[in-house]
Amino acid sequence: NPKVASATSATMIMYTSFTALTSFYVFGLVIEDYALAGFVMGIAVTAVGQVGITELIKKLGRDSIIIFSVAAVVGVSAVLMGTHSFMAMSSADLSIGHICEADESR
């Protein structure tokens, strides 16, 4: 059932996001203004998306739209993360050096 699968994945994403936010907050890495703006924007965009997808499902009578939208988000995320990783690795010094060498930069 696409609705159950979508609800389950959304719940797990919420728990994962909350856990990440909590760890960032504990280590003092959260800028509160940005976090609040991101939260408000996330709620607003989620509401718009929920209403839009619900209306589209009612109009077309197909639950498969949920699966296609989840697949599109996962696909776009994979491409963007891969691109970001490639760019980060291509600009970084990836030499390992000697395993017993002292790190003088610390």
Side-chain angles (χ1 to χ4, degrees), residues 49-98:
Q50 181 67 40
V51 169
I53 292 292
T54 301
E55 290 300 316
L56 195 58
I57 289 171
K58 285 180 185 176
K59 180 180 175 184
L60 300 176
R62 298 185 55 94
D63 287 341
S64 60
I65 295 168
I66 297 170
I67 300 300
F68 291 136
S69 64
V70 170
V73 168
V74 170
V76 168
S77 297
V79 168
L80 291 175
M81 287 175 24
T83 303
H84 177 74
S85 296
F86 177 76
M87 291 172 59
M89 286 177 24
S90 66
S91 66
D93 179 22
L94 299 178
S95 62
I96 296 173
H98 192 272

